[in-house]
Amino acid sequence: MSGATRSLPVLLLQNTVSVFLAVIAVRANPAMGLELYLDLLSQPCRAVFIFAKKNGIPFQLRTVHIFKGQNCSKEFLQINSLQRVPVLKDGDFILTESSAILIYLSCKYQVADHWYPSDLQTRSQIQEYLGWHADNIRSIFGVPLWIRVPEEKVNRNRTYMDHALQQLESKFLGDKPFLVGQQVSLADLMLLEELIQPVAVGYDVFVGRPRLAAWRGRIEAFLDTELWQEAHGVIFNILEQMAKKTLPVPPPETQKYMLLRISKIP
């Protein structure tokens, strides 16, 4: 028997072992290849980041700096042609909306039930809030971060924010510890990050709202200090960066998006 003939079984064995080890690796680490494209200046990005970290979901962080225009790069356009973050890439599968990403992670990694409860009615309440959130919270609470916004528009925007917070407390929070019951859910995480945004630029929406402030305190206590600091270090330094003029000037492509957001303020 020649050497070439004898080596064939050896090669087959080596290939079999390689495949077997690969299967074991995938089963041991189902998040292998999971990528999250985030900018922690973004409220929805922070919600996704915190959720993945809190639930021990391993992922590769792909930072996309919006103020540097990286969301408009050719490389990122191949990931999301809408030029927005967050983005989840799980192998060939891509999701581009924060609420969908959170639900996907909840279901795939079977996290604790309180995040996205299996009970139909409770889950529907989360969906109800997320629908209201998109129109009444997400659309207005990030505007104070934009630079070069006319002061009169900022003041009008704050009026809308105050009105939305009144509706939030009366309709969704009430006297409950969290938005949909006794434990924190995806809805709470999405809301918290939107409310932190104006706080970071000097407009504390929790002042004069003890129920809302207590709700925030419960979530912060649940998340733990280290994770809280890791997720919010960038946004809480935004005023210092602006004062020192170290914040990058957004490129024209990014400024167009900012101007579009500003133009929607009456």
Side-chain angles (χ1 to χ4, degrees):
M1 184 179 292
S2 67
T5 304
R6 285 195 302 271
S7 65
L8 182 57
V10 175
L11 292 174
L12 290 174
L13 178 61
Q14 289 175 338
N15 290 337
T16 301
V17 171
S18 297
V19 171
F20 178 71
L21 292 175
V23 170
I24 292 177
V26 169
R27 289 180 177 176
N29 183 9
M32 182 178 292
L34 180 66
E35 301 172 74
L36 295 177
Y37 292 76
L38 309 173
D39 183 342
L40 294 184
L41 280 177
S42 158
Q43 307 94 301
C45 286
R46 292 196 301 272
V48 170
F49 179 83
I50 290 171
F51 181 83
K53 286 279 189 173
K54 182 64 179 178
N55 286 288
I57 299 173
F59 63 91
Q60 298 178 56
L61 175 61
R62 308 297 190 195
T63 301
V64 180
H65 293 287
I66 301 298
F67 274 87
K68 295 181 181 179
Q70 292 179 354
N71 58 309
C72 301
S73 67
K74 292 181 180 180
E75 293 77 13
F76 187 72
L77 284 173
Q78 295 177 359
I79 302 297
N80 184 10
S81 60
L82 299 177
Q83 303 178 351
R84 297 169 61 181
V85 288
V87 176
L88 174 149
K89 188 173 186 294
D90 191 2
D92 295 329
F93 180 69
I94 292 176
L95 277 178
T96 63
E97 292 294 332
S98 54
S99 57
I101 290 172
L102 289 172
I103 291 171
Y104 176 82
L105 293 175
S106 296
C107 296
K108 177 170 182 177
Y109 297 101
Q110 300 179 349
V111 300
D113 191 66
H114 63 82
W115 288 108
Y116 191 57
S118 54
D119 176 75
L120 177 60
Q121 293 186 353
T122 308
R123 180 172 289 192
S124 296
Q125 286 180 313
I126 291 178
Q127 295 287 6
E128 177 189 29
Y129 172 76
L130 292 177
W132 182 85
H133 174 96
D135 289 333
N136 297 277
I137 299 294
R138 175 64 185 151
S139 61
I140 60 176
F141 274 73
V143 173
L145 180 58
W146 304 131
I147 56 176
R148 299 173 186 167
V149 180
E151 187 63 26
E152 63 273 15
K153 283 201 171 190
V154 171
N155 291 333
R156 283 198 294 270
N157 193 69
R158 288 179 175 177
T159 300
Y160 297 137
M161 291 165 67
D162 290 340
H163 179 66
L165 289 173
Q166 291 172 8
Q167 292 182 321
L168 170 71
E169 289 190 296
S170 62
K171 163 65 177 173
F172 294 100
L173 184 58
D175 294 323
K176 303 189 301 295
F178 300 100
L179 290 178
V180 292
Q182 300 301 310
Q183 292 180 285
V184 65
S185 71
L186 300 183
D188 295 286
L189 200 52
M190 290 285 285
L191 172 60
L192 177 65
E193 291 313 309
E194 291 293 338
L195 301 192
I196 288 297
Q197 204 78 347
V199 171
V201 294
Y203 183 52
D204 193 339
V205 298
F206 296 97
V207 172
R209 296 187 175 87
R211 282 190 298 170
L212 202 61
W215 165 84
R216 173 189 173 180
R218 286 189 286 271
I219 298 178
E220 285 192 40
F222 172 77
L223 293 179
D224 75 58
T225 302
E226 184 177 349
L227 177 55
W228 179 263
Q229 293 176 345
E230 183 180 8
H232 298 94
V234 176
I235 189 63
F236 281 133
N237 287 329
I238 192 74
L239 287 180
E240 181 180 351
Q241 292 182 58
M242 294 174 70
K244 293 181 177 180
K245 298 182 179 180
T246 56
L247 193 67
V249 177
E253 296 83 357
T254 303
Q255 290 190 30
K256 287 180 182 179
Y257 172 70
M258 293 180 174
L259 291 174
L260 177 62
R261 287 288 304 273
I262 294 171
S263 69
K264 294 181 179 180
I265 309 173

